[in-house]
C-alpha cells in the first residue's frame, strides 16, 4: 500500500496541469494528448500494482489455508492411533437382512417362485474346482477380466489380462478410455453368478499360458473355447453327475429352506419352481438337502404347485414355446398339449406367456427368487413380476463392513477425500506451491493406503462385490439396483419377516441400502 500512496501526488499534478492550460484550441488539445499518454501509462502501473498486491494477499490466504489443512491432517493422523469409541457404537447392518431397492408389500404377494441353483440349493467352494477341472479336461489339454463401477467405468486396479494386472496406460491403449459406457458394456460378457468363477479362472489361466509361452492368440477365440467347454460341462450333465456322485462334498444341507416353504404354504401362498437344471439333478439335490428334516425323501414336490425344469431362461421370458409334461420314470417327454398344471407332474421347457395363461397369476402378485441377474431376474422384472435377488456373498461382505477395522479405514478414507476436495477448491487455477504439492502427495498416499486395506479385506484382486476401490458402487450393484426389488443372502431370511410385512426403501439411502457410510466427524470429535 505504501507504493500506492506515493503515486497519489503525481495524479493530482497531472490534473492541475491540464486545467491551467490556455484556451487556445491547439494548445489545449496538445496538452490533453500529452495527459492521455501519461495517464494511460499511469493506469497500467496502477493495474500491475493492484494485481501484485492482490496476488500477494491471495498467496498469504492460500498458505494459511494449506497450513490449516495440514494441521487437520496431522490431528486426524494422531486420532488414527486409536479407534474412536463412537465408531464401536454405530449400528451394524444385518447379514441376514432383506435390503430393499423398491417398496414391496408382502401382503400383496400371493405367488412365490424359485430358481434352484444357488437359490434353493447352495454349494460348497469345491464346486468351482469341479467345473474348472471338467472344463479343462474337455478342452484337451483380448480376454481381459475387469471390474466396472456403477457408471460403467473400468476400475483401474481391477483389470487383468491373464493373471497380470494392467496399468492405466495399458487399459487406455486397449479400450481407448476408462469409461466403457452402457452401450459399449452390452458387448461385454457379464460374469454374474457363482457358476462364473470357474469360467473366469479358466480364461485367466489360459491367457496367461499363451503369454508365458510367447504364443500369438486371439483372445476372442479363447473366450469362445472356454465358454463352449463350460456350456458342455453343464449341458452334457458332467457337472450334475459329479455333484450327485458326492453330494456331501458339494451340496450344503438346509433345513431352514424347508421351514420357509412350509410357512408359505400354511399361509395359503402358491409356490412354483422354475429352473434350467434337469429334473433328475434337482430331485437328487432336494432329497439330499432336505432328507434330515423332511421325513419322506420323495415328498419335496408336494411343497410346489408347479415344477418346471429345463426352462431355458432367459429365453423362457421372451419366446413362445409350449410346455411338455416330463415322465420322471421313463425319462421321456409327452406329446399331449399342456393347458393345465397338475401338482404331481413335472414340466419341461415352456414360456412365460403360456405360464401366465395357464395359471392366471397376475404379475404384481408374483415374486421370483433367483441368483443370476440376467437369466433369472431381468425377464421377470420387465414382465411385471416382483423380484428377489439371492446373493450368497452378501453375508460375508456385510460382516466385513460391520467390523471396526473396516469402518476405521473407511472413516480415514472419507477424511482424506474431504481434505483433498478442500485442497483442490482452495488452489483452483492458481500457482501450486511447494507446500501444496507436499500436502497433495501426503493426502493421496494416505487415501491410497486406506483404499488398499479396505479392498484386500474382501478380495485382493477385485475387492468388494458391490464396491470399487474408489468407493463407487460397482456395475454389479447397478444391475442389482435395476432388476431386483429386494436382495438378500438366502430365501429363508424371509423367515425373519412376517408374510404381511411392508418392506420400504430406507429414507436415507444412497444407492445400495446395505451400505453404511462412516462419517469423518467421528475422528474430529474423538
Amino acid at each position: 500500500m505504501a507504493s500506492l500512496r506515493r503515486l497519489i501526488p503525481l495524479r493530482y499534478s497531472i490534473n492541475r496541469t491540464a486545467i491551467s492550460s490556455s484556451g487556445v484550441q491547439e494548445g489545449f488539445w496538445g496538452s490533453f494528448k500529452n495527459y492521455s499518454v501519461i495517464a494511460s501509462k499511469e493506469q497500467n502501473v496502477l493495474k500491475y500494482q493492484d494485481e501484485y498486491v492482490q496476488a500477494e494477499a491471495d498467496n498469504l490466504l492460500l498458505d494459511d489455508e494449506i497450513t490449516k489443512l495440514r494441521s487437520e491432517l496431522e490431528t486426524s493422523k494422531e486420532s488414527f492411533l486409536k479407534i474412536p469409541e463412537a465408531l464401536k457404537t454405530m449400528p451394524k447392518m444385518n447379514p441376514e437382512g432383506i435390503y430393499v431397492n423398491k417398496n414391496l408389500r408382502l401382503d400383496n404377494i400371493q405367488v412365490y417362485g424359485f430358481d434352484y441353483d444357488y437359490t434353493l440349493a447352495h454349494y460348497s467352494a469345491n464346486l468351482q474346482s469341479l467345473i474348472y477341472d471338467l472344463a479343462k479336461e474337455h478342452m484337451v489339454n483380448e480376454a481381459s477380466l475387469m471390474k466396472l463401477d456403477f457408471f460403467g467405468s473400468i476400475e483401474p486396479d481391477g483389470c487383468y489380462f491373464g493373471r497380470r494386472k494392467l496399468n492405466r496406460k495399458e487399459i487406455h491403449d486397449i479400450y481407448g478410455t476408462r469409461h466403457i459406457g452402457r452401450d459399449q458394456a452390452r458387448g461385454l460378457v457379464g460374469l454374474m453368478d457363482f457358476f462364473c468363477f470357474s469360467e473366469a479362472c479358466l480364461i485367466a489361466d489360459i491367457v496367461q499360458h499363451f503369454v508365458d509361452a510367447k504364443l500369438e492368440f486371439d483372445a476372442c477365440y479363447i473366450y469362445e473355447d472356454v465358454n463352449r467347454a463350460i456350456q458342455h460341462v453343464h449341458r452334457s450333465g458332467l457337472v450334475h453327475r459329479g455333484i450327485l456322485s458326492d453330494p456331501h462334498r458339494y451340496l450344503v444341507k438346509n433345513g431352514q429352506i424347508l421351514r420357509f416353504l412350509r410357512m408359505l404354504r400354511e399361509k395359503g401362498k402358491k409356490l412354483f419352481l422354475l429352473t434350467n437344471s434337469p429334473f433328475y439333478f434337482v430331485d437328487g439335490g432336494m432329497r439330499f438337502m432336505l432328507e434330515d428334516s423332511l421325513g419322506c425323501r420323495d415328498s419335496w414336490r408336494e411343497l410346489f404347485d408347479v415344477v418346471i425344469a429345463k426352462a431355458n431362461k432367459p429365453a423362457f421370458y421372451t419366446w413362445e414355446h409350449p410346455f411338455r409334461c416330463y415322465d420322471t420314470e421313463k425319462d421321456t417327454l409327452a406329446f399331449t398339449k399342456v393347458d393345465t398344471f397338475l401338482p404331481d407332474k413335472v414340466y419341461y421347457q415352456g414360456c412365460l406367456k403360456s405360464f401366465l395363461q395357464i395359471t392366471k397369476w397376475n404379475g404384481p402378485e408374483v415374486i421370483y427368487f433367483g441368483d443370476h441377474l440376467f437369466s433369472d431376474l431381468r425377464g421377470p422384472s420387465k414382465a411385471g413380476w416382483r423380484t428377489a435377488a439371492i446373493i450368497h456373498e452378501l453375508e460375508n461382505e456385510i460382516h466385513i463392513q460391520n467390523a471396526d477395522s473396516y469402518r476405521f479405514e473407511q472413516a480415514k478414507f472419507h477424511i482424506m477425500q474431504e481434505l483433498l476436495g478442500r485442497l483442490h477448491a482452495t488452489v483452483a487455477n492458481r500457482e501450486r506451491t511447494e507446500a501444496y504439492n507436499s500436502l497433495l502427495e501426503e493426502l493421496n498416499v494416505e487415501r491410497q493406503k486406506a483404499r488398499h486395506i479396505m479392498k484386500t479385506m474382501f478380495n485382493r484382486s477385485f475387492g468388494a462385490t458391490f464396491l470399487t476401490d474408489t468407493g463407487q458402487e460397482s456395475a454389479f450393484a447397478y444391475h442389482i439396483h435395476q432388476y431386483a426389488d429386494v436382495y438378500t443372502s438366502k430365501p429363508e431370511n424371509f423367515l425373519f419377516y412376517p408374510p404381511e410385512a411392508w418392506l420400504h426403501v430406507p429414507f436415507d439411502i444412497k444407492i445400495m441400502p446395505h451400505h453404511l457410510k462412516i462419517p469423518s466427524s467421528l475422528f474430529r470429535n474423538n
Side-chain angles (χ1 to χ4, degrees):
M1 295 303 294
S3 60
L4 287 177
R5 283 195 295 270
R6 285 195 296 272
L7 290 172
I8 290 174
L10 177 60
R11 294 176 64 187
Y12 283 136
S13 64
I14 292 172
N15 289 334
R16 284 197 298 271
T17 302
I19 293 171
S20 63
S21 299
S22 66
V24 180
Q25 189 173 6
E26 289 182 2
F28 175 80
W29 286 113
S31 300
F32 186 78
K33 181 179 179 181
N34 292 335
Y35 159 72
S36 299
V37 172
I38 297 171
S40 176
K41 291 180 178 178
E42 184 61 25
Q43 286 170 353
N44 287 336
V45 171
L46 289 171
K47 178 182 177 183
Y48 295 142
Q49 290 286 351
D50 288 344
E51 289 178 352
Y52 175 78
V53 171
Q54 185 61 49
E56 286 294 309
D58 288 346
N59 286 337
L60 288 174
L61 290 174
L62 178 58
D63 289 341
D64 288 345
E65 186 62 26
I66 290 177
T67 300
K68 180 180 177 182
L69 291 174
R70 164 70 66 183
S71 177
E72 287 190 40
L73 173 60
E74 297 303 325
T75 301
S76 297
K77 288 169 68 174
E78 289 180 10
S79 69
F80 292 164
L81 299 176
K82 181 181 179 182
I83 298 177
E85 290 299 318
L87 190 65
K88 301 176 182 179
T89 61
M90 291 192 66
K92 307 287 188 182
M93 305 305 288
N94 182 6
E96 297 179 321
I98 298 172
Y99 294 95
V100 187
N101 290 324
K102 302 179 185 71
N103 293 341
L104 175 66
R105 287 181 54 175
L106 293 182
D107 59 338
N108 288 338
I109 302 297
Q110 302 303 317
V111 183
Y112 284 72
F114 299 91
D115 181 36
Y116 175 71
D117 293 302
Y118 283 112
T119 301
L120 293 180
H122 283 288
Y123 300 93
S124 70
N126 295 322
L127 178 59
Q128 304 305 327
S129 298
L130 174 66
I131 297 173
Y132 179 98
D133 291 338
L134 289 173
K136 183 175 65 175
E137 291 172 12
H138 176 68
M139 293 182 72
V140 191
N141 319 13
E142 197 159 60
S144 299
L145 295 175
M146 69 180 73
K147 183 176 180 180
L148 302 182
D149 69 13
F150 194 86
F151 302 101
S153 296
I154 300 172
E155 181 177 329
D157 204 35
C159 188
Y160 288 79
F161 189 75
R163 294 288 181 178
R164 184 179 66 83
K165 185 189 299 182
L166 299 180
N167 59 41
R168 289 173 184 259
K169 183 179 183 304
E170 290 172 317
I171 292 173
H172 189 274
D173 289 343
I174 295 173
Y175 298 101
T177 175
R178 259 195 63 207
H179 184 70
I180 295 296
R182 294 287 166 221
D183 291 337
Q184 188 179 353
R186 293 188 183 98
L188 303 177
V189 178
L191 304 178
M192 288 290 181
D193 64 5
F194 263 81
F195 281 126
C196 293
F197 286 155
S198 47
E199 182 177 3
C201 290
L202 193 54
I203 291 172
D205 287 341
I206 291 176
V207 168
Q208 194 61 50
H209 167 75
F210 276 93
V211 171
D212 293 343
K214 295 182 173 55
L215 300 173
E216 292 187 7
F217 66 96
D218 189 316
C220 292
Y221 297 150
I222 288 182
Y223 167 74
E224 290 171 359
D225 287 350
V226 170
N227 184 257
R228 193 178 301 114
I230 294 290
Q231 294 299 323
H232 171 78
V233 165
H234 286 284
R235 291 172 181 168
S236 67
L238 282 172
V239 69
H240 298 143
R241 291 191 292 272
I243 291 170
L244 294 181
S245 68
D246 192 0
H248 289 275
R249 177 175 174 79
Y250 300 111
L251 274 165
V252 178
K253 291 207 172 191
N254 186 3
Q256 288 296 95
I257 193 66
L258 176 61
R259 280 188 57 209
F260 176 49
L261 298 177
R262 279 180 169 169
M263 182 272 289
L264 293 176
R265 291 200 67 84
E266 290 168 2
K267 295 290 183 178
K269 308 297 184 182
K270 300 294 185 181
L271 276 67
F272 69 92
L273 178 65
L274 178 66
T275 176
N276 286 350
S277 294
F279 173 76
Y280 80 89
F281 176 65
V282 176
D283 183 52
M286 292 292 283
R287 289 185 181 206
F288 171 78
M289 289 188 296
L290 304 179
E291 65 181 350
D292 296 338
S293 50
L294 192 60
C296 178
R297 286 165 56 95
D298 297 328
S299 61
W300 71 265
R301 284 163 55 188
E302 297 174 1
L303 298 167
F304 296 93
D305 297 273
V306 184
V307 174
I308 302 169
K310 298 202 79 169
N312 198 26
K313 296 174 294 181
F316 176 90
Y317 300 111
T318 55
W319 70 359
E320 295 190 18
H321 199 284
F323 285 99
R324 300 187 68 178
C325 189
Y326 174 71
D327 189 319
T328 58
E329 300 296 329
K330 298 178 181 179
D331 188 26
T332 57
L333 295 173
F335 289 93
T336 55
K337 182 180 180 179
V338 175
D339 53 15
T340 186
F341 290 133
L342 302 175
D344 59 339
K345 297 295 183 181
V346 175
Y347 300 92
Y348 268 28
Q349 302 165 1
C351 64
L352 177 63
K353 180 179 179 180
S354 296
F355 181 85
L356 296 178
Q357 289 173 344
I358 294 172
T359 62
K360 303 297 189 293
W361 291 338
N362 295 319
E365 69 178 10
V366 180
I367 186 169
Y368 186 69
F369 292 70
D371 71 302
H372 197 289
L373 297 177
F374 297 153
S375 295
D376 293 331
L377 302 183
R378 180 164 55 183
S381 177
K382 292 182 177 181
W385 287 0
R386 308 308 300 270
T387 53
I390 303 303
I391 309 168
H392 189 60
E393 59 268 43
L394 180 65
E395 279 193 34
N396 182 57
E397 295 215 351
I398 291 180
H399 279 301
I400 293 172
Q401 290 178 183
N402 282 341
D404 289 342
S405 56
Y406 177 85
R407 294 182 169 192
F408 183 65
E409 297 300 328
Q410 188 182 22
K412 288 166 64 175
F413 178 79
H414 289 329
I415 288 175
M416 298 307 123
Q417 288 279 76
E418 180 184 325
L419 293 177
L420 277 167
R422 287 167 55 189
L423 179 62
H424 286 300
T426 299
V427 174
N429 295 323
R430 300 190 189 99
E431 182 180 352
R432 297 182 175 184
T433 64
E434 183 178 343
Y436 165 86
N437 290 328
S438 174
L439 181 57
L440 176 66
E441 181 180 0
E442 188 167 353
L443 286 171
N444 276 323
V445 168
E446 290 293 333
R447 181 180 62 165
Q448 186 61 32
K449 285 198 302 189
R451 179 190 292 177
H452 178 73
I453 292 173
M454 286 191 291
K455 173 183 177 177
T456 54
M457 286 181 179
F458 295 100
N459 178 281
R460 62 185 177 86
S461 296
F462 292 102
T465 302
F466 294 89
L467 290 171
T468 64
D469 291 354
T470 59
Q472 293 277 2
E473 272 75 8
S474 65
F476 181 78
Y478 170 83
H479 292 298
I480 288 287
H481 190 72
Q482 288 287 101
Y483 302 126
D485 293 334
V486 298
Y487 61 98
T488 188
S489 62
K490 49 187 182 290
E492 56 267 31
N493 290 341
F494 276 73
L495 283 170
F496 300 116
Y497 300 76
E500 300 80 20
W502 291 24
L503 306 178
H504 288 288
V505 178
F507 74 94
D508 58 345
I509 184 175
K510 301 296 183 186
I511 297 180
M512 301 306 293
H514 74 279
H515 286 159
L516 182 67
K517 306 299 183 185
I518 307 301
S520 57
S521 59
L522 286 180
F523 285 91
R524 297 195 180 91
N525 298 331
N526 186 30

